[in-house]
Amino acid sequence: MQNKCCRRYRFEGIDNFRDLGGYECDGGVTNYGVFYRSTELSHATNADIKKIADLGIAAIVDLRHPEEVRVRPDNYPKSCVYKNINVQGSITPAHLNVHQHVENTCTLWHMYKQLLTFSGAQFRTAIEFLATVQGPALFHCFQGKDRTGLVALFLCAIVGVDEKDCIADYEVSHTYVKGRTTDVTGSCFKNMENLLAFLHKTYGGVKEYLFSIGVAEKTCQQIRDKFIRAEC
């Protein structure tokens, strides 16, 4: 399959599968076919696996906790490099600061703040891997909205995507994952707004947070080199 300028792809056993291309950014627009995001791949069918391969995806970054990986391992093409980077770090699932039974909760940003505070090294590793991988990369967590949403925010911030677009990109996950699990927490825009306010107040912004956890300017430039298309 030739890469298309397509924001969302339809799969049989994968949801919320989206391309981060098409956003205006510093110096142009984000390239299609570079970074993809999705739910976990544990229910990927043979047709889904073929579609991932046809998109030319070279690497899969699994952001889930090792226990999630053990219970629900990914199905993916043999041609893909697979890397599990647990961005929860030392935080166990039971200790995540989340009101998981509140529908479309506006309190998820407390969990995001917790992850950013205690798992900076893991997020740095994820960004560094995505910066250096040869070819398109897919990153995901469970529903592709929380941990995945944070990594998407970082990639978009590095290239200067407007924060309003980052909020909108986060918020749409609710629509694409609704009904697929018993998790009803959603992706209310207030979570991303509050998280961004926290990052600006505490660090000076998203990129400043990344620098504080050790993400180098060289890494950011590697992201820019492949993620920005100069002409709109």
Side-chain angles (χ1 to χ4, degrees):
M1 179 187 297
Q2 187 176 11
N3 284 344
K4 302 181 293 185
C5 293
C6 184
R7 180 57 56 81
R8 182 179 75 92
Y9 288 86
R10 293 176 291 184
F11 286 81
E12 295 175 349
I14 310 169
D15 292 301
N16 204 14
F17 194 108
R18 293 186 274 138
D19 193 319
L20 286 182
Y23 288 115
E24 186 175 6
C25 61
D26 294 343
V29 63
T30 56
N31 252 327
Y32 283 100
V34 178
F35 296 122
Y36 298 90
R37 55 179 294 174
S38 76
T39 59
E40 64 184 11
L41 311 182
S42 60
H43 297 294
T45 65
N46 288 336
D48 293 339
I49 293 171
K50 182 180 185 302
K51 192 168 184 176
I52 291 171
D54 287 346
L55 283 170
I57 291 172
I60 293 170
V61 180
D62 187 341
L63 304 169
R64 296 177 298 168
H65 188 275
E67 182 62 16
E68 294 177 274
V69 176
R70 185 189 69 81
V71 174
R72 302 184 306 277
D74 276 352
N75 298 321
Y76 56 90
K78 293 181 180 179
S79 58
C80 289
V81 173
Y82 172 86
K83 190 172 183 65
N84 177 218
I85 304 174
N86 169 29
V87 294
Q88 287 179 218
S90 60
I91 307 170
T92 64
H95 289 91
L96 284 173
N97 188 4
V98 56
H99 297 154
Q100 59 184 352
H101 301 300
V102 179
E103 185 171 357
N104 205 26
T105 179
C106 294
T107 63
L108 284 171
W109 75 279
H110 293 293
M111 178 180 70
Y112 304 159
K113 183 171 71 170
Q114 180 187 22
L115 290 172
L116 299 191
T117 301
F118 295 102
S119 301
Q122 289 76 19
F123 280 109
R124 182 185 70 238
T125 298
I127 295 299
E128 289 173 344
F129 181 81
L130 290 168
T132 57
V133 67
Q134 298 298 310
L138 166 65
F139 58 97
H140 75 85
C141 52
F142 174 36
Q143 296 199 78
K145 68 182 184 70
D146 299 315
R147 291 162 289 185
T148 297
L150 293 175
V151 172
L153 169 66
F154 296 153
L155 293 172
C156 288
I158 286 171
V159 298
V161 172
D162 193 286
E163 288 186 353
K164 291 181 179 179
D165 289 322
C166 293
I167 294 168
D169 187 75
Y170 165 81
E171 186 178 16
V172 75
S173 285
H174 169 76
T175 299
Y176 293 139
V177 302
K178 186 177 182 180
R180 78 177 299 270
T181 72
T182 57
D183 185 340
V184 296
T185 55
S187 56
C188 177
F189 70 94
K190 291 296 294 183
N191 290 302
M192 189 56 69
E193 284 187 345
N194 288 337
L195 180 68
L196 286 167
F198 163 76
L199 289 171
H200 280 284
K201 181 178 180 180
T202 308
Y203 300 96
V206 182
K207 285 188 284 188
E208 288 77 10
Y209 166 77
L210 292 174
F211 293 145
S212 78
I213 62 174
V215 175
E217 174 57 32
K218 177 182 177 181
T219 299
C220 293
Q221 190 57 51
Q222 288 172 315
I223 295 287
R224 296 186 196 105
D225 287 344
K226 61 181 177 179
F227 198 24
I228 296 176
R229 178 164 52 88
E231 69 279 4
C232 292

